[in-house]
Amino acid sequence: MAGICREELPNPEGPDDDLERLVVEAITLAEGDMRRAIRALILGQHEIEAEKAAQVSAGYIRRGLY
């Protein structure tokens, strides 16, 4: 799977482009490999969910409030 060069990524400009800037940053950190960037984001999300679940009490989860 071929990566893309930083020059090929869009240059975010404007008030609504914070998300686009973050997307470009994630792809750049993955050296242009979009599959690697997506994988890293998914793994990060799983880590956040695991940390959140560890902070919630079992009773709270049993009652379906989580």
Side-chain angles (χ1 to χ4, degrees), residues 16 26 41 47 50 54:
D16 296 325
L41 293 170
E47 185 176 320

Side-chain angles (χ1 to χ4, degrees), residues 15-66:
D16 296 325
D17 289 328
D18 285 340
L19 180 58
E20 185 65 27
R21 181 185 52 76
L22 292 171
V23 169
V24 169
E25 183 178 331
I27 295 169
T28 300
L29 288 171
E31 299 173 351
D33 185 341
M34 289 196 212
R35 181 179 171 88
R36 184 174 160 196
I38 293 168
R39 185 175 192 279
L41 293 170
I42 291 170
L43 289 173
Q45 186 64 36
H46 283 292
E47 185 176 320
I48 290 168
E49 289 174 3
E51 289 173 5
K52 183 178 175 185
Q55 294 175 355
V56 176
S57 74
Y60 194 71
I61 293 172
R62 270 196 307 272
R63 290 185 303 214
L65 301 173
Y66 173 68

